[in-house]
Amino acid sequence: MLEIKHTLCPSCSVGCGINVVSHEGDVVGTYPYKRHPVNEGKNCLNGRNSIEAYKNKLESAIVSNSDVDIDKAIDEICSNLKSKDSDKITVFCSGNNSVEDIEAIKSFAEANNYNIASYADNIVDIDGEVASYDDVEKASKLIVIGDVLYTNPLIGRRIIHAKDNGADVYSFTPEGSVTANVSNEICDSIDDVLNNFGDNLDESSVILFNTVNSSEDLDKIKEIADKANSKILPVFSKCNSKGACEIIKAQSKEEFVELLNDTDLLLVFNDDLIPEIDFDFGSISTIVSFVPCENSTSNASQIVVPVKSWLENDGSFVNAMGETQTFSAVIESDALGVDEVIEKIQNKL
Amino acid sequence: MSYVLAKSKNPDIQEAGECGGAVTSIFKYLLDENIVDGVLALSPGDDIYDGVPTFITDSEDLIKTAGSYHCAPTMFGDIIQKYLSDKKVAVSVKPCDIRSIDELIKRHKINPDNIFTVGLNCGGTVSPVTGRKMIELFYDINPDDVVSEEIDKGQFIVELADGTEKGVKIHELEHEGYGRRLNCQRCDVKIPRKANIACGNWGASDGWTFIEINDEKGEELIKGAQKAGILETKSPSQDAIDARLKVEGIMIKMAKKNQDVNYEKVSGIKEWDRCIRCCACRDVCPICWCYENCELNKSYFNASDVPPSPIAFQGIRLSHMSFSCCDCGQCDDVCPMDIPVSLIFDKLQKKYQDRTGYVAGVSDDVKPPLYSPAKEEL
Amino acid sequence: MSDELKIVGLLCNWCCYGGADTAGTARMQYPPNVRIIRVMCSGRINPSMIFKAFEEGADGVFVGGCHIGDCHYDAGNYKWSRRSKIVEDILEEFGIEKERFRHEWISASEGEKFQTTMDEFYKTLQKLGPLELK
């Protein structure tokens, strides 16, 4: 029967609410969740399209390109794990997983002395307090790095509100982009925007960014924010990157690639690394993917295990401003959760 | 057209309902007699500010839909069209809901024989997050303590669990940027006369619902519910009828004033330059139903341009459906960039109305004149 | 500068296109700024075509159809005529002067009417200057 249920949007770290429509056991659409304080019923195209993950979900486990029973795949994983040295085994998880799943992944890796890796858009060491969305809205000055209006529209909307409240907006974003259209000044590089306008910042200012090229950029952002006593707000591309960073220290791209160089067996939990990381994944002898639906990394994996998609899962995400939000499944599922898969593997080791 | 006052004979429903539980009782009658497969109405989600469309098939569950929501700007037209078109459905409709349903019927997307529409008079809705902020700011009340809201005599009134009420003039709230949604402030259709019946408390005495019966189907609804022993009715006095029309008249007058002030602003809208082409406005629009065949998806319209040129984006949508715009404001609500989309659509429907007399979702013409094969110029 | 004015002319196959042809074979002079696109009927023209033309840099758009009552497909020009009113209303709201959009009924034999219409339209656009989209 037709049902409309609340959940959280998994398409970036803003933490928007979204209503999912299910009908006769199938996910059929989305509906605005106007009561949600973060986005008031507004969702971007990525958000509304995120239900596609359910429509394209994997039906069975895959070992060497052929469908197999899930227990067979787990046996295969276990024999791989047993045959390799634990320091050559890397477990990777990202902000696509819920807080609960990341904790399960972490304890699994620690119990077996595997390497553990986490990556969040090359953004590292963001431990302190970050700006809240209200801080952005009430800011007197904003430095925006990246086309935030386009990539993270529901934080972009807060920038618009700040602008309407009289804030000055300085950005590093392409000319003609929507973010540029609401900015007072645009610059050609991160350095430029920080050097030219860093001195204008005060304690009610915010530096907002969704992209950094290097750790130097990041250090500079932090230094300028510290000097002016302003807040920063990193916006991640994955829904729970903030939560993931709090559990497992995120690595920079260089650190991560170094670890991959030393890896023989890579377990990837719910992520697509190949388009994101410039690395020859063919050099890793075995890749195991735990994913709800196919992606380029799972296509390159020797073993693929289907797990619950976000729509079928319960748990919590931590959004970009550090607020923990819980969500519950909108549809029943017979797929296994990440924690259940891990338990099965651990039991057979 | 005729008028009755009605209330439920079921004490639980009477208690839970807004004014005597007439609407819930009519739904119960329709479900119990198997006249419909289900009832589409709102039930509370997170709290009373969160009206979630719920499809009810067991009349025992109807009680949770009783009462009214002023902070739930939902839309039923597209839900019925997309998911329930093969079912017999009874639905509670605000004026903009029935107007969109009417337009969808004209487009053969909803079968009128399959739906029973119970109209609810509407003075406007408030966005839930705005509503909560407003109650904190202007009422000095914790929004979680509010048990119900009401719009009466130009005031937005909230009621607490202990029965105390507090009201603030809507005009004051709206002057500060709170209050009803902008499209509601302009809306001049307050009584859903295209629905089978139109229900409300305007002109009604306490504990009773004033019902305007709009057509034969509506007549049968009331008679059937009476016969089933669930609805009690009496005739309203002429004073009550007049009082109700007076309320409607005042609201329409207020709306016209808001139209005059706001339509002028359209050509000055600067917000188009932050459009991210997410098409949320199109996707939520109850009138738009071309989906993947939408002209905006065609390759010759530079689908990658962000922001799109307003004439080649909103212009196209306007030319396709603005004459049928029922000013439900869903496009405003869902726009991530807070572009006041509905204003231009509403204005163009009014321009069209001035040319042709066609009021979207209200006029009785079989088709919007643009689709007609008639040999007529405008 | 005004010589760079671009006019897109959407002409119905049965009447106005013939009118343009008549003007051409009779060597009647009309502004060379008009780019003609032949369509089967003015009733086939939808508003998006007009908007697309403006978006792509046209300074004026002209639509020519059969006289009312002469439509090859019975009522196509009635449909266009009603649609054109909507187009005007929309253009206005986006800051495009409605004079930049013109439509006229011209039969195949009315070469002269085609010529004078184009002359007039060109002069109007000259006065308005190139279109700057918001």
Side-chain angles (χ1 to χ4, degrees):
Chain A
M1 216 26 81
L2 184 79
E3 269 189 300
I4 294 180
K5 287 186 177 166
H6 297 330
T7 185
L8 293 173
C9 174
S11 67
C12 79
S13 68
V14 177
C16 299
I18 190 163
N19 279 336
V20 174
V21 188
S22 60
H23 189 34
E24 282 155 11
D26 203 7
V27 171
V28 289
T30 62
Y31 194 80
Y33 181 0
K34 296 184 185 180
R35 168 69 183 83
H36 201 273
V38 169
N39 61 318
E40 301 176 34
K42 298 158 189 277
N43 292 102
C44 65
L45 188 60
N46 288 339
R48 285 177 284 126
N49 281 349
S50 48
I51 54 167
E52 298 295 323
Y54 180 80
K55 293 186 184 163
N56 303 326
K57 65 178 177 159
L58 274 173
E59 296 295 335
S60 108
I62 302 168
V63 173
S64 312
N65 292 324
S66 44
D67 289 359
V68 295
D69 184 71
I70 189 145
D71 290 320
K72 176 96 189 336
I74 295 214
D75 288 343
E76 194 74 20
I77 293 169
C78 291
S79 66
N80 265 290
L81 286 169
K82 282 181 202 155
S83 69
K84 301 247 163 44
D85 292 339
S86 66
D87 63 344
K88 291 280 179 195
I89 299 174
T90 299
V91 175
F92 175 81
C93 74
S94 74
N96 285 340
N97 300 288
S98 69
V99 168
E100 294 72 16
D101 285 347
I102 295 170
E103 272 161 359
I105 294 165
K106 188 185 180 192
S107 36
F108 166 69
E110 283 176 351
N112 300 296
N113 284 320
Y114 303 146
N115 301 308
I116 181 154
S118 171
Y119 178 76
D121 308 303
N122 211 10
I123 296 171
V124 292
D125 294 330
I126 304 284
D127 309 321
E129 198 198 336
V130 293
S132 71
Y133 303 157
D134 278 344
D135 291 335
V136 175
E137 216 161 271
K138 292 185 184 122
S140 62
K141 282 161 189 99
L142 283 170
I143 287 184
V144 180
I145 296 169
D147 191 357
V148 175
L149 258 70
Y150 184 69
T151 322
N152 312 96
L154 274 307
I155 286 188
R157 176 168 171 255
R158 308 291 178 135
I159 300 175
I160 293 170
H161 291 175
K163 188 84 197 293
D164 290 345
N165 293 336
D168 293 328
V169 181
Y170 316 111
S171 344
F172 160 59
T173 180
E175 204 170 323
S177 65
V178 273
T179 305
N181 288 347
V182 302
S183 302
N184 299 66
E185 304 280 350
I186 45 174
C187 297
D188 297 334
S189 68
I190 297 183
D191 269 351
D192 272 0
V193 73
L194 293 173
N195 292 337
N196 296 346
F197 300 105
D199 290 340
N200 296 15
L201 300 189
D202 54 31
E203 68 284 345
S204 72
S205 304
V206 175
I207 306 180
L208 219 154
F209 57 101
N210 66 8
T211 167
V212 287
N213 300 324
S214 62
S215 46
E216 287 83 56
D217 286 347
L218 203 57
D219 290 341
K220 185 136 197 198
I221 291 171
K222 284 193 241 175
E223 183 195 319
I224 286 182
D226 274 348
K227 207 170 92 190
N229 220 350
S230 321
K231 289 181 176 161
I232 58 169
L233 180 59
V235 187
F236 302 93
S237 63
K238 287 163 197 168
C239 52
N240 192 29
S241 287
K242 180 88 184 153
C245 296
E246 282 166 10
I247 301 165
I248 302 167
K249 193 174 165 310
Q251 288 160 320
S252 70
K253 204 174 255 182
E254 294 82 34
E255 288 170 321
F256 185 38
V257 167
E258 204 173 300
L259 181 59
L260 287 175
N261 268 323
D262 214 26
T263 296
D264 237 7
L265 173 59
L266 177 65
L267 306 182
V268 182
F269 284 93
N270 207 346
D271 210 313
D272 194 7
L273 288 171
I274 292 180
E276 207 176 332
I277 307 289
D278 188 17
F279 176 77
D280 175 19
F281 283 88
S283 67
I284 299 174
S285 63
T286 311
I287 302 178
V288 182
S289 274
F290 302 86
V291 283
C293 55
E294 241 179 59
N295 61 34
S296 41
T297 309
S298 76
N299 286 336
S301 302
Q302 285 70 28
I303 307 171
V304 183
V305 178
V307 292
K308 276 181 182 169
S309 71
W310 127 89
L311 283 165
E312 303 155 285
N313 218 348
D314 299 301
S316 51
F317 291 152
V318 181
N319 67 11
M321 64 170 167
E323 183 190 26
T324 304
Q325 305 186 93
T326 56
F327 62 98
S328 33
V330 294
I331 194 144
E332 279 181 29
S333 153
D334 41 20
L336 295 173
V338 164
D339 49 342
E340 291 166 298
V341 174
I342 286 175
E343 202 185 327
K344 269 179 179 262
I345 296 174
Q346 190 64 60
N347 287 343
K348 288 194 178 170
L349 280 179
Chain B
M1 183 183 42
S2 62
Y3 304 111
V4 291
L5 291 171
K7 70 175 175 190
S8 181
K9 279 188 171 173
N10 174 318
D12 292 340
I13 295 179
Q14 213 187 89
E15 175 67 23
E18 173 91 351
C19 24
V23 173
T24 309
S25 302
I26 291 167
F27 285 149
K28 183 169 161 53
Y29 150 71
L30 285 169
L31 268 179
D32 287 346
E33 305 279 322
N34 285 322
I35 300 170
V36 294
D37 298 324
V39 170
L40 184 61
L42 295 178
S43 63
D46 298 341
D47 52 30
I48 59 153
Y49 304 92
D50 184 29
V52 182
T54 312
F55 191 60
I56 302 228
T57 48
D58 181 349
S59 70
E60 292 295 308
D61 298 336
L62 272 175
I63 199 86
K64 68 181 177 195
T65 69
S68 72
Y69 297 83
H70 292 92
C71 295
T74 48
M75 170 46 66
F76 284 149
D78 57 339
I79 294 187
I80 298 176
Q81 188 242 131
K82 282 182 189 157
Y83 312 120
L84 299 170
S85 57
D86 56 340
K87 297 227 161 52
K88 288 228 179 244
V89 178
V91 57
S92 58
V93 289
K94 303 185 294 306
C96 52
D97 289 314
I98 188 66
R99 291 175 75 187
S100 69
I101 289 172
D102 183 65
E103 287 292 327
L104 288 164
I105 289 172
K106 286 170 183 163
R107 286 161 172 76
H108 307 287
K109 302 303 284 182
I110 292 179
N111 178 354
D113 297 338
N114 274 352
I115 57 168
F116 290 84
T117 48
V118 175
L120 308 172
N121 300 348
C122 177
T125 52
V126 178
S127 291
V129 175
T130 314
R132 288 177 60 93
K133 259 187 221 156
M134 171 176 105
I135 289 168
E136 271 173 13
L137 272 173
F138 293 85
Y139 295 73
D140 203 20
I141 287 174
N142 180 349
D144 293 327
D145 296 340
V146 173
V147 290
S148 78
E149 338 89 18
E150 186 183 7
I151 295 177
D152 191 27
K153 298 199 176 66
Q155 291 198 321
F156 186 84
I157 303 161
V158 300
E159 194 191 321
L160 301 179
D162 61 8
T164 51
E165 287 186 351
K166 186 166 180 181
V168 175
K169 284 210 172 79
I170 287 186
H171 179 77
E172 247 167 64
L173 298 169
E174 286 172 3
H175 187 72
E176 300 292 323
Y178 292 84
R180 296 169 301 163
R181 295 147 76 226
L182 294 173
N183 60 299
C184 297
Q185 297 180 23
R186 297 189 305 262
C187 175
D188 54 12
V189 181
K190 302 295 182 188
I191 298 181
R193 295 201 167 84
K194 269 280 177 91
N196 304 133
I197 54 174
C199 309
N201 61 355
W202 306 343
S205 34
D206 248 8
W208 290 82
T209 300
F210 191 114
I211 301 181
E212 178 173 345
I213 301 169
N214 295 320
D215 55 18
E216 267 172 45
K217 220 164 154 183
E219 191 82 52
E220 282 164 24
L221 271 184
I222 301 294
K223 278 195 188 137
Q226 267 174 318
K227 223 183 201 170
I230 191 165
L231 199 70
E232 183 182 344
T233 61
K234 64 177 184 185
S235 288
S237 66
Q238 190 57 41
D239 283 352
I241 296 171
D242 293 344
R244 174 172 176 272
L245 287 176
K246 196 176 157 203
V247 174
E248 188 193 12
I250 293 170
M251 292 229 175
I252 292 175
K253 214 166 141 190
M254 265 167 62
K256 299 263 188 220
K257 240 188 228 164
N258 282 317
Q259 291 173 2
D260 291 342
V261 177
N262 288 296
Y263 289 159
E264 280 177 17
K265 296 179 188 161
V266 170
S267 45
I269 293 180
K270 298 251 186 304
E271 288 87 342
W272 304 123
D273 72 352
R274 60 190 193 218
C275 171
I276 52 171
R277 201 188 252 279
C278 71
C279 295
C281 50
R282 173 199 66 185
D283 294 347
V284 81
C285 178
I287 312 293
C288 277
W289 58 270
C290 297
Y291 307 125
E292 59 268 32
N293 288 324
C294 175
E295 185 92 348
L296 293 176
N297 295 354
K298 299 282 158 70
S299 53
Y300 46 81
F301 275 111
N302 305 333
S304 57
D305 274 8
V306 173
S309 151
I311 187 72
F313 186 79
Q314 293 301 350
I316 291 169
R317 285 198 59 228
L318 284 161
S319 71
H320 284 192
M321 52 62 62
S322 63
F323 44 87
S324 291
C325 172
C326 55
D327 199 24
C328 64
Q330 295 299 315
C331 46
D332 290 355
D333 287 354
V334 301
C335 178
M337 295 288 113
D338 283 357
I339 301 170
V341 188
S342 72
L343 183 59
I344 190 168
F345 283 81
D346 180 34
K347 179 180 182 182
L348 279 166
Q349 149 50 225
K350 288 288 175 335
K351 270 192 180 180
Y352 195 73
Q353 196 175 315
D354 294 343
R355 274 186 201 285
T356 64
Y358 181 80
V359 185
V362 173
S363 293
D364 272 327
D365 309 63
V366 181
K367 283 179 178 175
L370 206 71
Y371 295 162
S372 132
K375 292 187 178 177
E376 282 167 5
E377 288 191 82
L378 295 180
Chain C
M1 282 306 276
S2 51
D3 275 324
E4 287 169 20
L5 286 173
K6 290 195 246 343
I7 304 174
V8 171
L10 297 158
L11 312 186
C12 131
N13 176 61
W14 305 99
C15 295
C16 192
Y17 191 80
D21 214 17
T22 309
T25 39
R27 300 183 175 249
M28 295 176 192
Q29 293 285 326
Y30 65 87
N33 309 53
V34 56
R35 274 84 160 158
I36 292 175
I37 298 171
R38 182 170 59 155
V39 294
M40 288 312 286
C41 176
S42 59
R44 188 263 171 269
I45 299 168
N46 55 37
S48 3
M49 292 174 167
I50 316 292
F51 302 150
K52 167 90 173 158
F54 282 119
E55 189 207 9
E56 297 282 326
D59 301 296
V61 180
F62 173 77
V63 171
C66 303
H67 283 275
I68 286 297
D70 287 351
C71 178
H72 191 79
Y73 306 100
D74 192 38
N77 48 5
Y78 282 104
K79 286 182 179 153
W80 163 251
S81 146
R82 289 197 294 265
R83 235 170 265 159
S84 70
K85 297 289 188 290
I86 303 224
V87 173
E88 274 173 26
D89 288 347
I90 294 172
L91 290 178
E92 229 180 347
E93 302 299 345
F94 290 106
I96 299 175
E97 300 88 346
K98 62 174 177 220
E99 291 78 18
R100 291 185 186 275
F101 165 65
R102 177 165 179 174
H103 81 107
E104 206 67 61
W105 309 134
I106 298 175
S107 78
S109 60
E110 294 176 318
E112 210 168 326
K113 185 171 182 189
F114 183 78
Q115 180 200 26
T116 51
T117 307
M118 285 303 121
D119 272 338
E120 275 171 33
F121 193 36
Y122 176 68
K123 278 185 191 132
T124 314
L125 292 178
Q126 247 182 336
K127 256 182 231 149
L128 291 169
L131 171 65
E132 273 175 48
L133 275 182
K134 274 204 284 186

